[in-house]
Amino acid sequence: MLIREATTEDWPAIWPFFHRIVAAGVTFTYPVELSETDARDMWLIAPPNRTVVAVDDAGTVLGTAKMNRNHMGNSSHIASASYMVDPDHAGQGVGRALCTYTMDWARAAGYRAMQFNAVVETNAQAVKLYQSLGFEVLGTLPEGFLHPAHGYVGLHIMHRAL
């Protein structure tokens, strides 16, 4: 698997699984009816932030991540990232590879920590992955997310020093 910069030419490969994940309404705080144009503008972010794709040997996009500063001003030393793995390629280590890549990027860019602001508590796979990489739940916003099957569930704030 290769992780490289995403380009606008990658968007047609990202959009189908991006749309599938967001429309399901179970892991992201994005509007489920998010348009393709708005999604592209939100995901393909400009430097110094970055968006990357994970591709296999044939060039198939397996997943994507965007990484950015989490806060501004005197808190601009904290990074954040978001990840989407094509559900057809789940369980193949793509999420772990993307998360590790973003932590390495943040460390190299001089960030002191990473913070995830809204990890849906019922997203057990993501919570388990992040914890295995050293993130901890700092707190949970009770009923911060309306899950289509579970009703109101918490949103974790997760953190890891770099």
Side-chain angles (χ1 to χ4, degrees):
M1 173 183 345
L2 170 71
I3 297 176
R4 62 165 173 76
E5 291 294 320
T7 68
T8 55
E9 289 77 27
D10 292 312
W11 185 251
I14 296 169
W15 171 243
F17 67 85
F18 185 107
H19 178 67
R20 182 174 164 194
I21 291 166
V22 171
V26 299
T27 57
F28 275 83
T29 60
Y30 298 160
V32 295
E33 69 282 351
L34 189 65
S35 74
E36 182 176 1
T37 300
D38 289 343
R40 184 187 62 237
D41 292 346
M42 289 172 58
W43 198 259
L44 298 179
I45 53 181
N49 305 307
R50 291 183 64 202
T51 304
V52 296
V53 289
V55 298
D56 66 13
D57 292 341
T60 301
V61 175
L62 309 172
T64 181
K66 69 173 185 165
M67 54 209 103
N68 51 276
R69 179 178 59 208
N70 194 28
H71 302 288
M72 297 185 291
N74 289 346
S75 293
S76 63
H77 57 280
I78 308 297
S80 192
S82 298
Y83 314 95
M84 287 199 189
V85 175
D86 184 337
D88 294 338
H89 299 286
Q92 299 175 11
V94 178
R96 178 174 294 277
L98 287 167
C99 193
T100 300
Y101 184 95
T102 62
M103 290 187 320
D104 291 344
W105 166 83
R107 194 176 294 110
Y111 290 98
R112 296 179 49 85
M114 286 191 81
Q115 177 180 322
F116 302 146
N117 301 320
V119 181
V120 179
E121 70 180 348
T122 54
N123 188 355
Q125 286 180 306
V127 173
K128 181 180 176 182
L129 170 63
Y130 303 152
Q131 288 175 326
S132 77
L133 292 171
F135 286 83
E136 60 183 310
V137 175
L138 296 182
T140 304
L141 175 62
E143 298 187 351
F145 186 84
L146 179 55
H147 191 284
H150 302 292
Y152 290 101
V153 299
L155 281 176
H156 292 321
I157 299 168
M158 300 188 75
H159 171 269
R160 184 192 191 284
L162 297 172

